[in-house]
Amino acid sequence: MSEQSLNHISLTARVLGAAFYYAPGDIQEIISLLSTLQWTEEWPYGSHEQKQAIADKLAIIATDNESLDEAYQRLFIGPYALPAPPWGSVWLDRENVIFGDSTLQLREWMHAHSIDIHLSQNEPEDHFGLLLMMVAWVAENNPSQLNELLAQHILPWGFHYLNKMEQEANFPFYTGLAELAHLTLASWQQSLHVDVEKKMIFYR
């Protein structure tokens, strides 16, 4: 894979990972970028029409009923049940729990490849945003493991999560973010020729 392709993966993974993981107040520069048309000129994936349609949604960071911060709280924190849980093991574990077997498998894979992410609290490593930031790190430091990370730990459930997010977010910015992530992951899968591991999806 060319250095330019790896750079594209790293850059887009960092932007998307941060947007899915961090509260809006912590990533104001990224929110500002995504809520303008500027990013569409530089995003390496998707057609102009696809990116324009997504940009129209990302530009809406407040509604009559909810602010961006309130939407983030509802979609990623709670206290009520999350419309689209962002942890892999919720989708891959029969009991829909966090810290499930798939999380432990991810930890073993990370340990085997000397990947260490420093978390500020005890939380599962298979959060969708964290995994995208891990994609960026692997693209920069160990690109030979990109296919395995995507095939085994992200793509088996990631599109299911993004589909649910697109349907249930009920907030334009996060609907657009899910669509942009969907478009980007599909482009990674195609360009890297990823043979996705088939796993049972238990969350609906």
Side-chain angles (χ1 to χ4, degrees):
M1 169 157 271
S2 71
E3 184 175 348
Q4 182 183 46
S5 296
L6 289 170
N7 286 340
H8 285 165
I9 291 173
S10 173
L11 174 64
T12 54
R14 284 198 182 283
V15 170
L16 290 172
F20 273 94
Y21 184 70
Y22 293 109
D26 296 331
I27 50 166
Q28 291 181 351
E29 287 186 7
I30 289 176
I31 300 296
S32 296
L33 171 66
L34 291 177
S35 59
T36 70
L37 286 175
Q38 180 183 345
W39 68 268
T40 63
E41 300 299 321
E42 300 177 8
W43 204 263
Y45 312 115
S47 67
H48 174 75
E49 291 75 19
Q50 287 174 313
K51 290 186 282 189
Q52 180 65 58
I54 292 170
D56 290 343
K57 297 182 178 74
L58 291 173
I60 303 174
I61 59 174
T63 68
D64 291 340
N65 300 318
E66 202 171 29
S67 69
L68 188 61
D69 287 309
E70 290 169 335
Y72 174 83
Q73 180 78 23
R74 173 174 57 83
L75 293 170
F76 294 97
I77 306 298
Y80 304 110
L82 305 187
W87 302 281
S89 67
V90 174
W91 294 84
L92 298 173
D93 192 287
R94 189 178 298 274
E95 303 301 322
N96 307 135
V97 295
I98 61 173
F99 292 108
D101 287 342
S102 63
T103 312
L104 302 180
Q105 291 164 10
L106 173 63
R107 283 182 178 176
E108 291 173 2
W109 183 87
M110 291 168 60
H111 179 73
H113 298 290
S114 301
I115 298 171
D116 184 24
I117 54 177
H118 300 286
L119 302 174
S120 59
Q121 55 191 354
N122 182 29
E123 60 179 316
E125 293 87 344
D126 60 349
H127 185 290
F128 186 74
L130 283 176
L131 284 169
L132 293 188
M133 289 188 279
M134 196 183 302
V135 166
W137 189 94
V138 171
E140 294 163 9
N141 295 280
N142 195 0
S144 65
Q145 298 303 322
L146 259 181
N147 270 45
E148 201 169 282
L149 174 59
L150 290 166
Q152 296 180 9
H153 302 290
I154 300 176
L155 295 181
W157 66 278
F159 289 124
H160 295 277
Y161 163 65
L162 292 171
N163 286 336
K164 190 77 167 175
M165 189 71 156
E166 290 170 31
Q167 296 164 8
E168 304 289 344
N170 291 322
F171 193 90
F173 179 88
Y174 283 112
T175 300
L177 186 66
E179 292 177 2
L180 183 58
H182 201 146
L183 175 68
T184 302
L185 262 67
S187 298
W188 293 347
Q189 181 181 358
Q190 182 178 21
S191 64
L192 292 168
H193 308 291
V194 179
D195 185 12
V196 181
E197 187 173 314
K198 291 179 172 58
K199 296 187 179 184
M200 188 73 72
I201 299 295
F202 292 100
Y203 186 86
R204 300 296 177 189

